[in-house]
């Protein structure tokens, strides 16, 4: 199955998240089969990263967005486990600092964009500025509502600069989030992951879904498409995300650069 085609938000279409089943696992009946494919994808990703790094002319930016406990950390841990840390950069975006707030919302984002040859991963991103910021009215409507266009313009600049942008929304159900948050409360080794804000934000689930729908609908573009990944099953989420990254890198076909000198004339003494 072409996972890119299956899960892409076609530019210009309106997303209705209630119509997308977060428990779906198309093409895969069980975890065993999926884990084999995931292991293979991780190896393929390592080889493609090696080429991308050697080529040194283009970058890939993977953006992960989800509700709390949606699986952003887990996706990074599993899918990126085969990457060479040299050539890979993960950035987690928290509530902006005073210095960051003194600049435009894309300032801190642009600074973290991967350089040529690198794979960059964003754990949250500039989309928070039209998600939590919109839901909690942290800026006036007039400000957040123009950000969709600003984001599209920014991502167009990245794409034109040879950064391939892939955006994943890890779609879980409200029940699944409840289960995961309860686990964070029950399991002492997971207590550190839960915060009181997870509970207050959960109460605004519907508003968040509307904000996500707007971001997915307005900001899925040819330059930087959104993918909605059914993510109640962690094994399927990992598989789908890895598959889409591998397919994209494969189609980029990074090439080893030609040496700028005659290799046959070089003798190692
Ligand atoms: P976590 O991902 O659990 O470490 O939490 C990071 C927190 O930072 C989340 O509650 C986000 O909503 C919040 N956050 C990230 N970016 C922004 C932003 N631009 N404005 C306000 N809050 C943000
Ligand atoms: Mg959190």
């Amino acid at each position: 199955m072409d996972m890119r085609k299956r899960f892409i938000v076609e530019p210009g279409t309106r997303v209705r998240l209630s119509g997308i089943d977060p428990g779906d696992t198309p093409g895969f009946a069980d975890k065993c089969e999926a884990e084999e494919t995931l292991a293979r994808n991780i190896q393929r990703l390592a080889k493609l990263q090696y080429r991308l790094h050697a080529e040194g002319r283009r970058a890939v930016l993977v953006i992960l967005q989800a509700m709390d406990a949606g699986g952003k950390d887990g996706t990074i841990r599993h899918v990126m486990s085969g990457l060479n840390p040299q050539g890979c950069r993960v950035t987690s975006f928290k509530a902006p600092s005073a210095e960051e707030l003194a600049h435009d919302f894309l300032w801190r984002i642009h600074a973290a964009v991967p350089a040529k040859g690198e794979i960059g991963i964003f754990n949250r991103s500039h989309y928070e500025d039209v998600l939590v910021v919109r839901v909690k009215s942290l800026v006036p409507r007039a400000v957040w509502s123009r950000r969709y266009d600003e984001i599209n313009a920014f991502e167009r600049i990245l794409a034109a600069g040879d950064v391939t942008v892939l955006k994943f929304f890890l779609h879980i159900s409200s029940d699944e989030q409840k289960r995961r948050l309860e686990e964070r409360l029950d399991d002492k080794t997971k207590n550190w992951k839960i915060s009181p804000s997870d509970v207050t934000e959960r109460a605004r689930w519907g508003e968040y879904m509307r904000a996500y729908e707007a971001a997915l609908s307005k900001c899925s573009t040819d330059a930087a498409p959104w993918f909605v990944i059914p993510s109640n099953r962690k094994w399927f989420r990992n598989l789908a995300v890895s598959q889409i990254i591998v397919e994209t890198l494969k189609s980029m076909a990074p090439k080893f650069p030609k040496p700028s000198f005659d290799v046959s004339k070089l003798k190692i003494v």
Side-chain angles (χ1 to χ4, degrees), residues 197-218:
S197 80
D198 292 349
V199 181
T200 50
E201 294 321 288
R202 180 175 159 69
R204 306 177 176 204
W205 185 272
E207 287 168 79
Y208 270 102
M209 289 306 109
R210 280 198 295 283
Y212 264 109
E213 286 174 342
L216 295 165
S217 306
K218 290 174 196 278

Side-chain angles (χ1 to χ4, degrees), residues 13-135:
T13 57
R14 276 200 61 184
V15 176
R16 253 189 55 251
L17 287 170
S18 59
I20 303 175
D21 177 6
D24 208 7
T25 63
F28 289 82
D30 62 35
K31 189 171 170 171
C32 269
E33 190 190 346
E35 277 179 347
E36 267 172 45
T37 312
L38 174 64
R40 206 170 51 241
N41 282 348
I42 289 171
Q43 285 179 358
R44 290 163 80 199
L45 198 54
K47 287 194 178 135
L48 285 159
Q49 183 201 14
Y50 184 72
R51 283 174 174 267
L52 187 81
H53 179 70
E55 183 190 72
R57 289 181 39 224
R58 292 173 290 173
V60 173
L61 172 59
V62 174
I63 294 177
L64 297 173
Q65 284 289 160
M67 294 295 283
D68 293 309
K72 300 181 293 294
D73 296 309
T75 303
I76 295 171
R77 196 166 66 245
H78 287 98
V79 176
M80 313 303 172
S81 59
L83 292 186
N84 180 350
Q86 181 162 288
C88 168
R89 191 145 66 111
V90 182
T91 311
S92 296
F93 291 98
K94 311 285 180 190
S97 67
E99 189 189 20
E100 287 167 346
L101 280 174
H103 291 82
D104 74 85
F105 77 107
L106 293 168
W107 180 71
R108 64 174 184 164
I109 308 293
H110 208 157
V113 168
K116 294 183 197 307
E118 287 183 345
I119 296 180
I121 297 145
F122 282 1
N123 182 339
R124 303 186 190 269
S125 65
H126 43 299
Y127 283 94
E128 293 293 322
D129 293 283
V130 289
L131 294 164
V132 62
V133 168
R134 164 175 162 160
V135 170

Side-chain angles (χ1 to χ4, degrees), residues 138-208:
L138 300 180
V139 299
R141 182 186 197 101
V143 173
W144 62 252
S145 63
R146 64 169 186 256
R147 287 184 174 166
Y148 301 98
D149 288 342
E150 291 167 351
I151 288 173
N152 287 341
F154 170 65
E155 292 178 349
R156 239 187 346 262
I157 293 171
L158 298 187
D162 288 324
V163 182
T164 297
V165 184
L166 298 172
K167 304 181 294 200
F168 296 98
F169 171 55
L170 311 178
H171 180 38
I172 59 168
S173 61
S174 167
D175 284 351
E176 178 64 16
Q177 189 201 42
K178 182 163 187 274
R179 217 184 50 71
R180 293 185 188 182
L181 291 179
E182 280 168 353
E183 200 178 315
R184 289 183 179 185
L185 277 184
D186 296 343
D187 181 343
K188 286 224 163 6
T189 70
K190 292 189 177 172
N191 282 174
W192 67 276
K193 276 202 142 190
I194 194 155
S195 71
S197 80
D198 292 349
V199 181
T200 50
E201 294 321 288
R202 180 175 159 69
R204 306 177 176 204
W205 185 272
E207 287 168 79
Y208 270 102

